[in-house]
Amino acid sequence: YVLEWGPNVCDFCHEEPGWNHSKNMGMWNDEPDDFFGMHSSAMVIKKWVEEEDVKIIVAASFYYQWDVYHMANRYPHVAFVHVGGWLTRPNLAQIFPKVYQARYLSGIAMGWYIKKHNLPKQIGYLSSFPLGETARAINALKLGLDMVDPDIDIYLTWMQSWHDDRKEELA
């Protein structure tokens, strides 16, 4: 099983394209010391709020957490929702589906398929970064497999990237 740690701080994500996208665009005076930089999404949010009078912003990517956190402070009259993070403010809520439940059921189905077809008891698993979210998904899959056959092994490779076609081919 993969150890889970928290909070889900992605210390190494700053190497990903886009994470430091606009670090040099200028710093906000309420920016946390460990803030890696800002996506262009902050500029989109600014435009929506100031020019189009949008009152609810939903950010559906882990990447946008710091942008939404900052912009929620800048626009306290706007409701913000972020999917997949851990930061909150009075006008910023966090939501996340229980993806691990589906992974658990997938593990059971995969275990029965392996058993029924007498396949090797080995599963390769590519995962992006070792975050709490990814660890929970892997552990849930393994728990599902264990319900059918605890001898099925998972061979895990951390890609250290959210998307890298070349690394995926090599793995």
Side-chain angles (χ1 to χ4, degrees), residues 124-149:
Y125 196 109
L126 300 177
S127 191
S128 55
F129 290 103
L131 299 169
E133 174 187 342
T134 54
R136 281 189 297 275
I138 296 161
N139 290 339
L141 180 74
K142 179 61 175 150
L143 286 171
L145 290 166
D146 286 352
M147 289 295 295
V148 178
D149 184 347

PDB file of all heavy atoms in Angstrom, residues 124-149:
ATOM      1  N   GLY A 124       0.018  -3.357 -13.777  1.00  0.00           N
ATOM      2  CA  GLY A 124       0.856  -2.160 -13.869  1.00  0.00           C
ATOM      3  C   GLY A 124      -0.008  -0.934 -13.632  1.00  0.00           C
ATOM      4  O   GLY A 124      -1.140  -0.854 -14.112  1.00  0.00           O
ATOM      5  N   TYR A 125       0.498   0.021 -12.883  1.00  0.00           N
ATOM      6  CA  TYR A 125      -0.272   1.217 -12.539  1.00  0.00           C
ATOM      7  C   TYR A 125       0.624   2.437 -12.710  1.00  0.00           C
ATOM      8  O   TYR A 125       1.658   2.550 -12.055  1.00  0.00           O
ATOM      9  CB  TYR A 125      -0.745   1.118 -11.085  1.00  0.00           C
ATOM     10  CG  TYR A 125      -1.854   2.069 -10.707  1.00  0.00           C
ATOM     11  CD1 TYR A 125      -3.138   1.604 -10.480  1.00  0.00           C
ATOM     12  CD2 TYR A 125      -1.619   3.438 -10.567  1.00  0.00           C
ATOM     13  CE1 TYR A 125      -4.166   2.458 -10.115  1.00  0.00           C
ATOM     14  CE2 TYR A 125      -2.635   4.295 -10.220  1.00  0.00           C
ATOM     15  CZ  TYR A 125      -3.900   3.808  -9.986  1.00  0.00           C
ATOM     16  OH  TYR A 125      -4.919   4.668  -9.631  1.00  0.00           O
ATOM     17  N   LEU A 126       0.250   3.317 -13.623  1.00  0.00           N
ATOM     18  CA  LEU A 126       0.959   4.583 -13.801  1.00  0.00           C
ATOM     19  C   LEU A 126       0.200   5.657 -13.038  1.00  0.00           C
ATOM     20  O   LEU A 126      -1.013   5.798 -13.198  1.00  0.00           O
ATOM     21  CB  LEU A 126       1.011   4.981 -15.276  1.00  0.00           C
ATOM     22  CG  LEU A 126       1.707   4.030 -16.237  1.00  0.00           C
ATOM     23  CD1 LEU A 126       1.599   4.565 -17.659  1.00  0.00           C
ATOM     24  CD2 LEU A 126       3.144   3.832 -15.845  1.00  0.00           C
ATOM     25  N   SER A 127       0.901   6.412 -12.228  1.00  0.00           N
ATOM     26  CA  SER A 127       0.260   7.499 -11.489  1.00  0.00           C
ATOM     27  C   SER A 127       1.107   8.752 -11.626  1.00  0.00           C
ATOM     28  O   SER A 127       2.320   8.677 -11.823  1.00  0.00           O
ATOM     29  CB  SER A 127       0.097   7.116 -10.015  1.00  0.00           C
ATOM     30  OG  SER A 127      -0.741   8.031  -9.361  1.00  0.00           O
ATOM     31  N   SER A 128       0.461   9.894 -11.511  1.00  0.00           N
ATOM     32  CA  SER A 128       1.146  11.162 -11.750  1.00  0.00           C
ATOM     33  C   SER A 128       2.144  11.501 -10.650  1.00  0.00           C
ATOM     34  O   SER A 128       3.341  11.329 -10.810  1.00  0.00           O
ATOM     35  CB  SER A 128       0.107  12.278 -11.896  1.00  0.00           C
ATOM     36  OG  SER A 128      -0.735  12.277 -10.752  1.00  0.00           O
ATOM     37  N   PHE A 129       1.667  11.984  -9.530  1.00  0.00           N
ATOM     38  CA  PHE A 129       2.505  12.398  -8.416  1.00  0.00           C
ATOM     39  C   PHE A 129       2.057  11.672  -7.154  1.00  0.00           C
ATOM     40  O   PHE A 129       0.877  11.332  -7.022  1.00  0.00           O
ATOM     41  CB  PHE A 129       2.384  13.907  -8.170  1.00  0.00           C
ATOM     42  CG  PHE A 129       2.999  14.757  -9.231  1.00  0.00           C
ATOM     43  CD1 PHE A 129       2.205  15.387 -10.175  1.00  0.00           C
ATOM     44  CD2 PHE A 129       4.370  14.952  -9.277  1.00  0.00           C
ATOM     45  CE1 PHE A 129       2.766  16.189 -11.149  1.00  0.00           C
ATOM     46  CE2 PHE A 129       4.939  15.751 -10.252  1.00  0.00           C
ATOM     47  CZ  PHE A 129       4.147  16.370 -11.192  1.00  0.00           C
ATOM     48  N   PRO A 130       2.934  11.464  -6.192  1.00  0.00           N
ATOM     49  CA  PRO A 130       2.533  10.822  -4.937  1.00  0.00           C
ATOM     50  C   PRO A 130       1.826  11.815  -4.003  1.00  0.00           C
ATOM     51  O   PRO A 130       2.412  12.331  -3.056  1.00  0.00           O
ATOM     52  CB  PRO A 130       3.862  10.322  -4.351  1.00  0.00           C
ATOM     53  CG  PRO A 130       4.895  11.222  -4.919  1.00  0.00           C
ATOM     54  CD  PRO A 130       4.386  11.647  -6.277  1.00  0.00           C
ATOM     55  N   LEU A 131       0.569  12.064  -4.300  1.00  0.00           N
ATOM     56  CA  LEU A 131      -0.273  12.940  -3.478  1.00  0.00           C
ATOM     57  C   LEU A 131      -1.298  12.097  -2.734  1.00  0.00           C
ATOM     58  O   LEU A 131      -1.531  10.943  -3.077  1.00  0.00           O
ATOM     59  CB  LEU A 131      -1.007  13.950  -4.371  1.00  0.00           C
ATOM     60  CG  LEU A 131      -0.140  14.891  -5.184  1.00  0.00           C
ATOM     61  CD1 LEU A 131      -0.984  15.624  -6.211  1.00  0.00           C
ATOM     62  CD2 LEU A 131       0.553  15.875  -4.260  1.00  0.00           C
ATOM     63  N   GLY A 132      -1.953  12.672  -1.760  1.00  0.00           N
ATOM     64  CA  GLY A 132      -2.981  11.959  -1.027  1.00  0.00           C
ATOM     65  C   GLY A 132      -4.052  11.396  -1.932  1.00  0.00           C
ATOM     66  O   GLY A 132      -4.493  10.251  -1.785  1.00  0.00           O
ATOM     67  N   GLU A 133      -4.475  12.184  -2.897  1.00  0.00           N
ATOM     68  CA  GLU A 133      -5.523  11.762  -3.835  1.00  0.00           C
ATOM     69  C   GLU A 133      -5.097  10.532  -4.636  1.00  0.00           C
ATOM     70  O   GLU A 133      -5.857   9.574  -4.789  1.00  0.00           O
ATOM     71  CB  GLU A 133      -5.843  12.915  -4.781  1.00  0.00           C
ATOM     72  CG  GLU A 133      -6.788  12.579  -5.886  1.00  0.00           C
ATOM     73  CD  GLU A 133      -6.934  13.707  -6.883  1.00  0.00           C
ATOM     74  OE1 GLU A 133      -6.595  14.859  -6.581  1.00  0.00           O
ATOM     75  OE2 GLU A 133      -7.397  13.421  -8.005  1.00  0.00           O
ATOM     76  N   THR A 134      -3.880  10.544  -5.137  1.00  0.00           N
ATOM     77  CA  THR A 134      -3.421   9.423  -5.953  1.00  0.00           C
ATOM     78  C   THR A 134      -3.147   8.197  -5.083  1.00  0.00           C
ATOM     79  O   THR A 134      -3.427   7.069  -5.501  1.00  0.00           O
ATOM     80  CB  THR A 134      -2.167   9.806  -6.764  1.00  0.00           C
ATOM     81  OG1 THR A 134      -1.167  10.313  -5.878  1.00  0.00           O
ATOM     82  CG2 THR A 134      -2.492  10.854  -7.808  1.00  0.00           C
ATOM     83  N   ALA A 135      -2.614   8.411  -3.878  1.00  0.00           N
ATOM     84  CA  ALA A 135      -2.375   7.291  -2.961  1.00  0.00           C
ATOM     85  C   ALA A 135      -3.691   6.619  -2.579  1.00  0.00           C
ATOM     86  O   ALA A 135      -3.779   5.384  -2.547  1.00  0.00           O
ATOM     87  CB  ALA A 135      -1.643   7.778  -1.715  1.00  0.00           C
ATOM     88  N   ARG A 136      -4.724   7.413  -2.309  1.00  0.00           N
ATOM     89  CA  ARG A 136      -6.037   6.837  -1.964  1.00  0.00           C
ATOM     90  C   ARG A 136      -6.580   5.993  -3.116  1.00  0.00           C
ATOM     91  O   ARG A 136      -7.151   4.924  -2.896  1.00  0.00           O
ATOM     92  CB  ARG A 136      -7.026   7.945  -1.618  1.00  0.00           C
ATOM     93  CG  ARG A 136      -6.863   8.494  -0.225  1.00  0.00           C
ATOM     94  CD  ARG A 136      -7.996   9.433   0.147  1.00  0.00           C
ATOM     95  NE  ARG A 136      -8.058  10.618  -0.678  1.00  0.00           N
ATOM     96  CZ  ARG A 136      -7.370  11.736  -0.474  1.00  0.00           C
ATOM     97  NH1 ARG A 136      -6.564  11.816   0.556  1.00  0.00           N
ATOM     98  NH2 ARG A 136      -7.498  12.769  -1.272  1.00  0.00           N
ATOM     99  N   ALA A 137      -6.407   6.464  -4.334  1.00  0.00           N
ATOM    100  CA  ALA A 137      -6.909   5.722  -5.499  1.00  0.00           C
ATOM    101  C   ALA A 137      -6.200   4.371  -5.636  1.00  0.00           C
ATOM    102  O   ALA A 137      -6.839   3.345  -5.874  1.00  0.00           O
ATOM    103  CB  ALA A 137      -6.726   6.549  -6.771  1.00  0.00           C
ATOM    104  N   ILE A 138      -4.898   4.373  -5.480  1.00  0.00           N
ATOM    105  CA  ILE A 138      -4.121   3.133  -5.603  1.00  0.00           C
ATOM    106  C   ILE A 138      -4.488   2.165  -4.480  1.00  0.00           C
ATOM    107  O   ILE A 138      -4.710   0.973  -4.701  1.00  0.00           O
ATOM    108  CB  ILE A 138      -2.613   3.444  -5.599  1.00  0.00           C
ATOM    109  CG1 ILE A 138      -2.249   4.283  -6.824  1.00  0.00           C
ATOM    110  CG2 ILE A 138      -1.789   2.169  -5.539  1.00  0.00           C
ATOM    111  CD1 ILE A 138      -0.929   5.010  -6.711  1.00  0.00           C
ATOM    112  N   ASN A 139      -4.562   2.689  -3.263  1.00  0.00           N
ATOM    113  CA  ASN A 139      -4.898   1.836  -2.121  1.00  0.00           C
ATOM    114  C   ASN A 139      -6.304   1.254  -2.249  1.00  0.00           C
ATOM    115  O   ASN A 139      -6.541   0.094  -1.890  1.00  0.00           O
ATOM    116  CB  ASN A 139      -4.758   2.605  -0.813  1.00  0.00           C
ATOM    117  CG  ASN A 139      -3.313   2.892  -0.478  1.00  0.00           C
ATOM    118  OD1 ASN A 139      -2.411   2.228  -0.975  1.00  0.00           O
ATOM    119  ND2 ASN A 139      -3.086   3.884   0.356  1.00  0.00           N
ATOM    120  N   ALA A 140      -7.238   2.045  -2.750  1.00  0.00           N
ATOM    121  CA  ALA A 140      -8.604   1.555  -2.925  1.00  0.00           C
ATOM    122  C   ALA A 140      -8.638   0.433  -3.963  1.00  0.00           C
ATOM    123  O   ALA A 140      -9.324  -0.575  -3.779  1.00  0.00           O
ATOM    124  CB  ALA A 140      -9.531   2.696  -3.334  1.00  0.00           C
ATOM    125  N   LEU A 141      -7.907   0.606  -5.056  1.00  0.00           N
ATOM    126  CA  LEU A 141      -7.838  -0.443  -6.077  1.00  0.00           C
ATOM    127  C   LEU A 141      -7.271  -1.731  -5.469  1.00  0.00           C
ATOM    128  O   LEU A 141      -7.807  -2.818  -5.665  1.00  0.00           O
ATOM    129  CB  LEU A 141      -6.982   0.005  -7.260  1.00  0.00           C
ATOM    130  CG  LEU A 141      -6.835  -1.016  -8.379  1.00  0.00           C
ATOM    131  CD1 LEU A 141      -8.125  -1.124  -9.180  1.00  0.00           C
ATOM    132  CD2 LEU A 141      -5.680  -0.654  -9.292  1.00  0.00           C
ATOM    133  N   LYS A 142      -6.205  -1.599  -4.693  1.00  0.00           N
ATOM    134  CA  LYS A 142      -5.575  -2.772  -4.072  1.00  0.00           C
ATOM    135  C   LYS A 142      -6.526  -3.435  -3.079  1.00  0.00           C
ATOM    136  O   LYS A 142      -6.610  -4.675  -3.019  1.00  0.00           O
ATOM    137  CB  LYS A 142      -4.264  -2.372  -3.392  1.00  0.00           C
ATOM    138  CG  LYS A 142      -3.548  -3.513  -2.690  1.00  0.00           C
ATOM    139  CD  LYS A 142      -3.162  -4.631  -3.631  1.00  0.00           C
ATOM    140  CE  LYS A 142      -2.335  -5.701  -2.892  1.00  0.00           C
ATOM    141  NZ  LYS A 142      -2.507  -7.025  -3.452  1.00  0.00           N
ATOM    142  N   LEU A 143      -7.271  -2.668  -2.319  1.00  0.00           N
ATOM    143  CA  LEU A 143      -8.246  -3.249  -1.387  1.00  0.00           C
ATOM    144  C   LEU A 143      -9.313  -4.039  -2.146  1.00  0.00           C
ATOM    145  O   LEU A 143      -9.734  -5.114  -1.702  1.00  0.00           O
ATOM    146  CB  LEU A 143      -8.891  -2.160  -0.539  1.00  0.00           C
ATOM    147  CG  LEU A 143      -8.018  -1.565   0.562  1.00  0.00           C
ATOM    148  CD1 LEU A 143      -8.700  -0.344   1.180  1.00  0.00           C
ATOM    149  CD2 LEU A 143      -7.712  -2.603   1.623  1.00  0.00           C
ATOM    150  N   GLY A 144      -9.759  -3.505  -3.282  1.00  0.00           N
ATOM    151  CA  GLY A 144     -10.719  -4.229  -4.112  1.00  0.00           C
ATOM    152  C   GLY A 144     -10.137  -5.522  -4.652  1.00  0.00           C
ATOM    153  O   GLY A 144     -10.785  -6.573  -4.639  1.00  0.00           O
ATOM    154  N   LEU A 145      -8.899  -5.459  -5.133  1.00  0.00           N
ATOM    155  CA  LEU A 145      -8.224  -6.668  -5.616  1.00  0.00           C
ATOM    156  C   LEU A 145      -8.098  -7.697  -4.495  1.00  0.00           C
ATOM    157  O   LEU A 145      -8.323  -8.896  -4.708  1.00  0.00           O
ATOM    158  CB  LEU A 145      -6.828  -6.319  -6.147  1.00  0.00           C
ATOM    159  CG  LEU A 145      -6.768  -5.527  -7.448  1.00  0.00           C
ATOM    160  CD1 LEU A 145      -5.366  -4.961  -7.664  1.00  0.00           C
ATOM    161  CD2 LEU A 145      -7.202  -6.377  -8.628  1.00  0.00           C
ATOM    162  N   ASP A 146      -7.743  -7.229  -3.302  1.00  0.00           N
ATOM    163  CA  ASP A 146      -7.567  -8.123  -2.155  1.00  0.00           C
ATOM    164  C   ASP A 146      -8.856  -8.846  -1.769  1.00  0.00           C
ATOM    165  O   ASP A 146      -8.810  -9.956  -1.219  1.00  0.00           O
ATOM    166  CB  ASP A 146      -7.040  -7.361  -0.948  1.00  0.00           C
ATOM    167  CG  ASP A 146      -5.570  -6.996  -1.077  1.00  0.00           C
ATOM    168  OD1 ASP A 146      -4.917  -7.461  -2.035  1.00  0.00           O
ATOM    169  OD2 ASP A 146      -5.082  -6.236  -0.215  1.00  0.00           O
ATOM    170  N   MET A 147     -10.001  -8.232  -2.044  1.00  0.00           N
ATOM    171  CA  MET A 147     -11.276  -8.888  -1.748  1.00  0.00           C
ATOM    172  C   MET A 147     -11.431 -10.170  -2.574  1.00  0.00           C
ATOM    173  O   MET A 147     -12.070 -11.110  -2.145  1.00  0.00           O
ATOM    174  CB  MET A 147     -12.454  -7.941  -2.041  1.00  0.00           C
ATOM    175  CG  MET A 147     -12.584  -6.795  -1.078  1.00  0.00           C
ATOM    176  SD  MET A 147     -12.963  -7.323   0.596  1.00  0.00           S
ATOM    177  CE  MET A 147     -14.579  -8.038   0.378  1.00  0.00           C
ATOM    178  N   VAL A 148     -10.836 -10.167  -3.758  1.00  0.00           N
ATOM    179  CA  VAL A 148     -10.930 -11.327  -4.653  1.00  0.00           C
ATOM    180  C   VAL A 148      -9.721 -12.242  -4.479  1.00  0.00           C
ATOM    181  O   VAL A 148      -9.858 -13.454  -4.344  1.00  0.00           O
ATOM    182  CB  VAL A 148     -11.047 -10.863  -6.126  1.00  0.00           C
ATOM    183  CG1 VAL A 148     -11.106 -12.061  -7.065  1.00  0.00           C
ATOM    184  CG2 VAL A 148     -12.249  -9.969  -6.302  1.00  0.00           C
ATOM    185  N   ASP A 149      -8.525 -11.649  -4.474  1.00  0.00           N
ATOM    186  CA  ASP A 149      -7.305 -12.445  -4.378  1.00  0.00           C
ATOM    187  C   ASP A 149      -6.174 -11.567  -3.863  1.00  0.00           C
ATOM    188  O   ASP A 149      -5.639 -10.724  -4.599  1.00  0.00           O
ATOM    189  CB  ASP A 149      -6.943 -13.016  -5.755  1.00  0.00           C
ATOM    190  CG  ASP A 149      -5.740 -13.949  -5.718  1.00  0.00           C
ATOM    191  OD1 ASP A 149      -5.013 -13.981  -4.698  1.00  0.00           O
ATOM    192  OD2 ASP A 149      -5.530 -14.649  -6.723  1.00  0.00           O
TER     193      ASP A 149
END
